């Protein structure tokens, strides 16, 4: 196997036995980026010098045997036998990780794929970035996205599009398309994305990798540039489920800097996987929402992959039950009122006064605001700001924003009821495999409708995973979505792991 192909677990093993160094691993990724990224466009910026320096430090630590240190003894140097990953002080020592360019990185440009922040360099790290660095990870670069995470194809980036590594005529999905493409094309070992309505799960599905959107509140949003604050969550995009569990253990936990961060215990997500047996899922109940599968426009290849995944889970002893999510028809409409409303408020800060782009030809303050925003924001972001401002304005608030929040409460209730009869809920991630570049970009409504299976999870604050479960007739990957109750990431990880190991399609790479 090549260094760029390794999972986190494999890379950790190789680093430990000194088969290769972290510098070798980072150089392999940088070579790969050099060779491929001109075409794929997964990255907005690559921090080659910073990554090499961090890799050297990691190698030094490995030489000092610090990779064996446990959390409570980071400063001492004794080796204990309890080597559970989440007990380690540096669970990601020397591992090259990429970050969606919506996460603040101290001293490294954070653009949100927007011209308005083209030259913005934050003075602090997002909490998740500090957590990754503290765990020993090497930050290799910042990945492309739909501007401010608004989109489903990464075509809305203010800089360039990202291509799907499986077929470059197709989109990688979005908005974390850069992170998913970077993992899929092996230009990093793992990445972080963000998910407001599906932006981790849908690109993971389209690029044939694993993506987890954690429960709302599970991961700190401090230092994440907000799109829709009541829906945004940060999560891992990785080559397999175990890697996702490892990453999740690093980034979860209470953060006093984020008032919505939940103060709940974080279990060892990898523990259930190391002890996984063929009958481990026996007795688990999977709900299938009847409204999802009767949906018009479900691609036959997606339906087939879904049915195949369902059968596989059944073989593992998972019992299928029908559940109902009656508000499904209203979810897209409600989301596309709530998310733009929050966005219109969040994005008001980019006014040309405090930071970011400022138009210099304006006659007065109002003119400066107008010109800065018109030049700085792309068409989709402007559309969302206008929609959101309208939905929140006096006289329309009750009719639009108010009603959408009522639908949201009903969606949450639907899930609560559904989870009375099941432990997980399964569905396709998206109605179709990846679509062609340019196919939906001029038709926002069609683009919005592709989020139908993912955005209810955000409205209800639940965790969800996308696990590769098949390929379309055009050889494009298809993922299965598994959702669970609040804070039950363990259930989606266990079911996802069972599926991954039984289907045997993990570690299939695009031919590039
Ligand atoms: N496609 C959805 C949107 O454009 C979701 C985006 C996301 O999850 N960031 O709002």
């Amino acid at each position: 196997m090549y260094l760029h192909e390794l999972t986190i677990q494999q890379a950790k093993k190789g680093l430990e036995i000194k088969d290769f160094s972290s510098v070798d691993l980072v150089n392999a990724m940088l070579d790969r980026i050099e060779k491929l990224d001109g075409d794929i466009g997964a990255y907005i910026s690559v921090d080659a010098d910073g990554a090499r320096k961090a890799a050297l430090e990691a190698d030094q630590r490995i030489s000092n045997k610090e990779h064996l240190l446990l959390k409570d003894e980071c400063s001492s140097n004794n080796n204990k036998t309890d080597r559970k990953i989440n007990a380690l002080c540096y669970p990601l020592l020397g591992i090259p990780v990429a970050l969606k360019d919506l996460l603040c990185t101290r001293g490294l440009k954070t653009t949100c794929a927007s011209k308005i922040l083209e030259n913005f360099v934050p003075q602090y790290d997002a909490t998740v970035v500090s957590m990754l660095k503290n765990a020993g990870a090497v930050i290799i670069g910042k990945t492309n996205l739909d501007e401010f995470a608004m989109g489903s194809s990464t075509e809305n980036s203010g800089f360039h599009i990202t291509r799907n590594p499986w077929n470059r005529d197709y989109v990688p999905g979005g908005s974390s398309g850069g992170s998913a493409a970077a993992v899929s094309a092996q230009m990093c070992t793992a990445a972080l994305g963000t998910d407001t309505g599906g932006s981790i799960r849908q690109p993971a599905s389209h690029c044939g990798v694993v993506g987890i959107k954690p429960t709302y509140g599970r991961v700190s949003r401090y230092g994440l540039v907000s799109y829709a604050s009541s829906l945004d969550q940060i999560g891992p995009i990785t080559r397999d489920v175990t890697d996702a569990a490892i990453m999740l253990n690093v980034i979860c936990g209470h953060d006093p800097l984020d008032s919505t961060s939940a103060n709940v215990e974080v279990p060892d997500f990898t523990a259930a996987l190391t002890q996984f047996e063929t009958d481990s899922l026996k007795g688990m109940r999977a709900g299938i929402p009847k409204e999802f599968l009767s949906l018009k426009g479900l691609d036959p290849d997606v339906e087939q992959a879904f049915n195949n995944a369902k059968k596989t889970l059944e073989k593992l002893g998972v019992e299928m039950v029908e559940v109902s999510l009656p508000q499904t028809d209203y979810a897209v409409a409600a989301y596309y009122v709530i998310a733009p409303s929050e966005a219109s408020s969040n994005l008001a800060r980019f006014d040309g006064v405090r930071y970011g782009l400022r138009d210099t030809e304006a006659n007065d303050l109002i003119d400066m605001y107008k010109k800065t925003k018109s030049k700085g924001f792309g068409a989709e972001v402007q559309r969302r700001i206008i929609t959101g401002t309208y939905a929140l304005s006096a006289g329309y608030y009750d009719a639009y924003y108010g009603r959408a929040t009522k639908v949201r409460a009903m969606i949450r209730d639907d899930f609560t009821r559904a989870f009375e009869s099941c432990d997980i809920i399964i569905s396709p991630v998206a109605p179709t495999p990846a679509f062609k570049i340019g196919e939906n970009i001029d038709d926002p409504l069609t683009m919005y409708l592709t989020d139908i299976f993912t955005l209810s999870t955000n409205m209800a604050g639940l965790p969800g995973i996308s696990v590769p479960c098949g390929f379309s007739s055009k050889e494009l990957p298809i993922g299965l979505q598994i959702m669970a109750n609040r804070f039950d990431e363990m259930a989606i990880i266990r079911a996802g792991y069972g599926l991954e190991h039984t289907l045997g399609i993990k570690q299939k790479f695009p031919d590039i």
Side-chain angles (χ1 to χ4, degrees):
M1 266 185 124
Y2 296 105
L3 293 189
H4 55 79
E5 292 181 350
L6 303 178
T7 60
I8 295 177
Q9 312 102 275
Q10 290 164 337
K12 277 168 68 79
K13 215 167 276 164
L15 288 169
E16 262 180 55
I17 57 170
K18 299 230 160 83
D19 240 4
F20 48 84
S21 66
S22 174
V23 170
D24 295 336
L25 196 56
V26 165
N27 281 336
M29 295 302 175
L30 292 172
D31 285 351
R32 188 99 179 142
I33 293 170
E34 176 84 36
K35 214 158 50 195
L36 295 173
D37 207 42
D39 200 16
I40 303 277
Y43 283 91
I44 288 179
S45 55
V46 176
D47 183 22
D49 292 344
R52 287 202 182 98
K53 191 165 161 262
L56 259 177
E57 280 168 26
D59 286 334
Q60 189 59 50
R61 287 195 166 146
I62 294 168
S63 295
N64 296 344
K65 300 219 176 325
E66 290 180 45
H67 59 286
L68 301 172
L69 287 180
L70 300 179
K71 269 185 188 149
D72 51 1
E73 50 178 27
C74 276
S75 49
S76 64
N77 207 354
N78 63 37
N79 305 335
K80 286 205 186 135
T81 46
D82 177 12
R83 301 280 326 284
K84 276 202 297 226
I85 278 169
N86 84 328
L88 292 177
C89 194
Y90 303 113
L92 294 175
L93 197 53
I95 305 293
V97 174
L99 304 171
K100 187 176 184 176
D101 204 18
L102 193 64
L103 295 164
C104 284
T105 39
R106 189 183 164 157
L108 265 191
K109 261 202 268 186
T110 300
T111 67
C112 305
S114 180
K115 295 233 159 65
I116 213 156
L117 289 178
E118 194 165 5
N119 296 309
F120 171 58
V121 180
Q123 299 183 3
Y124 66 97
D125 279 330
T127 296
V128 288
V129 177
S130 311
M131 283 168 134
L132 286 176
K133 287 183 179 170
N134 290 341
V138 173
I139 308 301
I140 190 150
K142 308 289 295 283
T143 57
N144 200 17
L145 61 147
D146 289 296
E147 186 176 0
F148 286 102
M150 296 175 194
S152 310
S153 65
T154 316
E155 292 166 291
N156 291 337
S157 168
F159 305 129
H160 55 82
I161 60 165
T162 299
R163 296 177 181 275
N164 191 315
W166 290 87
N167 184 330
R168 295 176 202 191
D169 293 335
Y170 287 77
V171 303
S175 62
S176 313
S179 288
V183 175
S184 167
Q186 308 121 54
M187 298 189 284
C188 62
T189 308
L192 287 188
T194 68
D195 191 313
T196 305
S199 280
I200 288 175
R201 291 158 288 160
Q202 184 255 25
S205 173
H206 287 352
C207 290
V209 292
V210 173
I212 294 183
K213 173 229 170 286
T215 306
Y216 186 77
R218 188 59 119 170
V219 177
S220 166
R221 293 183 297 108
Y222 180 75
L224 160 65
V225 179
S226 299
Y227 160 19
S229 317
S230 77
L231 301 160
D232 301 339
Q233 265 295 282
I234 301 165
I237 297 181
T238 54
R239 298 205 205 301
D240 68 11
V241 176
T242 307
D243 278 8
I246 295 173
M247 290 282 283
L248 200 59
N249 265 123
V250 171
I251 60 170
C252 282
H254 179 243
D255 179 11
L257 297 174
D258 170 4
S259 62
T260 61
S261 160
N263 199 352
V264 289
E265 205 196 318
V266 180
D268 180 357
F269 296 117
T270 58
L273 308 184
T274 43
Q275 294 143 21
F276 199 87
E277 310 271 343
T278 45
D279 62 353
S280 288
L281 297 183
K282 221 174 169 169
M284 188 182 244
R285 295 161 308 164
I288 301 181
K290 61 176 188 214
E291 293 81 2
F292 277 21
L293 294 180
S294 57
L295 217 73
K296 277 190 241 104
L298 187 62
D299 181 276
D301 289 345
V302 171
E303 195 170 353
Q304 199 187 343
F306 174 78
N307 285 332
N308 187 27
K310 182 181 135 207
K311 269 192 220 126
T312 308
L313 286 173
E314 272 174 324
K315 267 192 232 140
L316 288 169
V318 178
E319 184 196 334
M320 297 294 154
V321 294
E322 188 181 275
V323 294
S324 177
L325 298 173
Q327 308 310 318
T328 299
D329 273 355
Y330 309 108
V332 175
Y335 171 88
Y336 276 99
V337 169
I338 292 172
S341 296
E342 294 187 18
S344 72
S345 160
N346 276 326
L347 270 56
R349 74 190 69 171
F350 304 111
D351 56 6
V353 176
R354 283 162 286 192
Y355 49 88
L357 182 79
R358 177 187 295 183
D359 182 79
T360 48
E361 285 154 21
N363 304 320
D364 55 36
L365 185 66
I366 301 295
D367 195 34
M368 191 278 286
Y369 286 155
K370 278 189 195 156
K371 288 196 168 128
T372 298
K373 291 183 187 225
S374 306
K375 285 183 188 162
F377 290 135
E380 183 61 26
V381 173
Q382 292 191 27
R383 184 180 294 126
R384 307 262 178 131
I385 294 174
I386 292 168
T387 320
T389 308
Y390 182 78
L392 290 176
S393 57
Y396 295 105
Y397 183 98
D398 289 340
Y400 294 106
Y401 185 76
R403 283 177 84 185
T405 55
K406 282 183 192 140
V407 172
R408 180 178 187 171
M410 288 164 85
I411 290 173
R412 211 177 290 147
D413 292 347
D414 284 353
F415 275 104
T416 306
R417 222 167 297 121
F419 280 120
E420 280 166 13
S421 57
C422 60
D423 308 296
I424 53 170
I425 292 179
I426 59 170
S427 80
V429 177
T432 66
F435 41 90
K436 274 207 156 136
I437 291 167
E439 195 176 319
N440 290 339
I441 195 67
D442 296 323
D443 182 359
L445 199 60
T446 307
M447 190 77 97
Y448 296 170
L449 286 169
T450 63
D451 298 332
I452 177 75
F453 295 126
T454 45
L455 44 75
S456 299
T457 322
N458 301 71
M459 304 266 266
L462 307 172
I465 189 172
S466 172
V467 184
C469 73
F471 287 88
S472 72
S473 48
K474 294 195 180 108
E475 279 299 302
L476 290 165
I478 298 172
L480 178 79
Q481 176 173 226
I482 309 172
M483 301 161 260
N485 229 329
R486 280 170 66 74
F487 298 109
D488 198 5
E489 282 82 2
M490 203 66 140
I492 59 175
I493 288 172
R494 285 177 57 229
Y497 184 86
L499 185 73
E500 173 183 86
H501 279 253
T502 318
L503 279 175
I505 55 173
K506 98 171 178 151
Q507 294 288 67
K508 201 170 164 194
F509 291 117
D511 189 15
I512 43 178

